[in-house]
Amino acid sequence: MQTDVVRIGTRGSALALAQAAEVRARLMAAHDLPEEAFEIAVIRTSGDRIQDRPLSEAGGKGLFTKEIEQALIDGRIDLAVHSSKDMPTVLPEGLEISAFLEREDVRDVFIGRRVERLEDLPRGAKLGTSSLRRQALALRLRPDLEVGMFRGNVQTRLKKLEDGVAEGTLLALAGLKRLKMEHVASAVMDPETFPPALGQGAICIETRVGDARVGGVVETIRHAQTGAALACERAFLAALDGSCRTPIAGEAKVQGKNLRFSGMILTPDGREAHEIAGEGSVDDAAEIGADAGARIREKAGNRFFDSWD
């Protein structure tokens, strides 16, 4: 590869920087290059600036990506590192997801202020989360809970918990592992009853379409199985017009040449939920996801989706 410095764009949170550093380390190892060959550029996004209301009210998932994507379009960075679950299903013209790193643990964890499990929270206790999916799943299990908005990075949320803003919160285990903070988790949620966000645990790399130089650099660290799983999950999300306003969960698992997918949609109050499953060849990953999305949409009916509006 050429020796020009590769500029990696990322958000500035501790987790985002850890993810960018992981990408850099993998690229350094793959190309036998020093750290100086890769520059990490921090870009503040709208999602980082807006802390006073849920993302669903502020504009959705693109709030964590649009400024970084503009820097990529403008040529100020060469590649962008994102949490896959933050990525909208439709990307700006001229950009593409060119690689996924091997996926981390997809599960959520519960962190309690005074109890170890979600089930142990006192009746009517306040649960802090900014995720509609986590809200819906929690209320499905514990309809008595009061759910309050909990925005901010991992450290901010833990401080809010310590200060008594809520009695418990939910975070992704993958993020805690990348921050070497998994010890703060009180309990790991069962993915059968508390399925993850689509894309959870996977780091993706976004590049310019047709950029052969950067594409060649990134190709060396692409994890094919994770790519297939995410192609399925993103197709499911796209079939449902999914955004931060829609409580959607699911996971695709790849075993050899086979892919299995399970998905769920819920109303924000958790009172109604529909589940779907699909299976087939890993080569048909996107088709499996899209088909599952079409089937669950038909199963739930228009009335269900009208409740989101």
Side-chain angles (χ1 to χ4, degrees):
M1 61 171 279
Q2 296 179 2
T3 56
D4 296 347
V5 172
V6 175
R7 297 159 298 173
I8 302 171
T10 178
R11 293 169 60 202
S13 71
L15 177 55
L17 290 171
Q19 293 181 164
E22 183 176 342
V23 169
R24 179 176 62 186
R26 287 175 182 261
L27 290 172
M28 286 165 56
H31 297 282
D32 193 23
L33 285 169
E35 188 174 297
E36 297 75 42
F38 302 93
E39 174 190 332
I40 292 180
V42 174
I43 299 167
R44 194 155 189 247
T45 69
S46 301
D48 297 312
R49 287 193 293 270
I50 298 169
Q51 295 292 323
D52 61 345
R53 59 194 188 276
L55 291 179
S56 55
E57 295 177 7
K61 290 187 177 185
L63 293 173
F64 281 133
T65 60
K66 66 178 184 179
E67 285 86 357
I68 299 174
E69 289 176 325
Q70 191 58 55
L72 193 54
I73 291 168
D74 294 344
R76 288 179 279 132
I77 58 174
D78 299 305
L79 61 92
V81 176
H82 306 284
S83 294
S84 296
K85 67 179 181 180
D86 290 339
M87 294 296 285
T89 53
V90 178
L91 303 182
E93 186 176 352
L95 300 184
E96 62 183 353
I97 296 176
S98 51
F100 294 91
L101 300 193
E102 184 173 2
R103 197 173 205 169
E104 245 294 358
D105 199 312
V106 302
R107 296 174 295 175
D108 282 313
V109 298
F110 173 75
I111 304 174
R113 184 165 174 251
R114 289 179 285 199
V115 299
E116 290 192 353
R117 304 182 308 157
L118 180 73
E119 299 92 314
D120 298 332
L121 284 171
R123 185 169 183 81
K126 186 169 182 179
L127 179 73
T129 180
S130 58
S131 161
L132 269 184
R133 173 190 62 89
R134 289 178 179 137
Q135 169 188 300
L137 289 169
L139 290 174
R140 188 181 186 216
L141 297 173
R142 288 286 308 273
D144 61 287
L145 295 176
E146 177 191 346
V147 180
M149 190 186 74
F150 228 49
R151 286 290 313 281
N153 60 35
V154 172
Q155 292 79 2
T156 300
R157 295 188 205 192
L158 292 177
K159 181 66 166 59
K160 287 181 179 180
L161 198 61
E162 183 184 325
D163 292 344
V165 176
E167 287 299 314
T169 190
L170 295 152
L171 294 172
L173 179 54
L176 292 179
K177 283 187 171 184
R178 291 186 176 116
L179 291 170
K180 313 250 184 286
M181 292 177 61
E182 57 264 46
H183 61 278
V184 306
S186 304
V188 178
M189 305 300 291
D190 181 353
E192 293 297 318
T193 57
F194 212 93
L198 300 159
Q200 186 153 304
I203 296 171
C204 71
I205 300 173
E206 188 177 23
T207 58
R208 290 181 289 273
V209 174
D211 189 334
R213 172 190 167 238
V214 176
V217 172
V218 169
E219 171 67 23
T220 57
I221 62 170
R222 183 176 65 85
H223 191 257
Q225 286 186 317
T226 301
L230 267 292
C232 177
E233 292 176 23
R234 286 175 60 77
F236 178 72
L237 195 61
L240 296 170
D241 298 322
S243 72
C244 285
R245 294 176 57 251
T246 57
I248 306 175
E251 180 188 3
K253 296 180 180 178
V254 176
Q255 295 178 315
K257 292 289 186 182
N258 192 57
L259 182 145
R260 291 184 178 182
F261 174 75
S262 59
M264 179 188 290
I265 55 176
L266 308 94
T267 50
D269 60 9
R271 292 182 181 178
E272 184 178 349
H274 298 277
E275 298 180 65
I276 204 77
E279 184 175 0
S281 167
V282 71
D283 295 330
D284 300 323
E287 289 82 354
I288 295 168
D291 175 69
R295 286 189 289 120
I296 203 169
R297 179 178 279 279
E298 183 177 357
K299 183 178 181 180
N302 290 332
R303 178 196 55 77
F304 177 89
F305 292 92
D306 290 342
S307 69
W308 288 342
D309 297 325

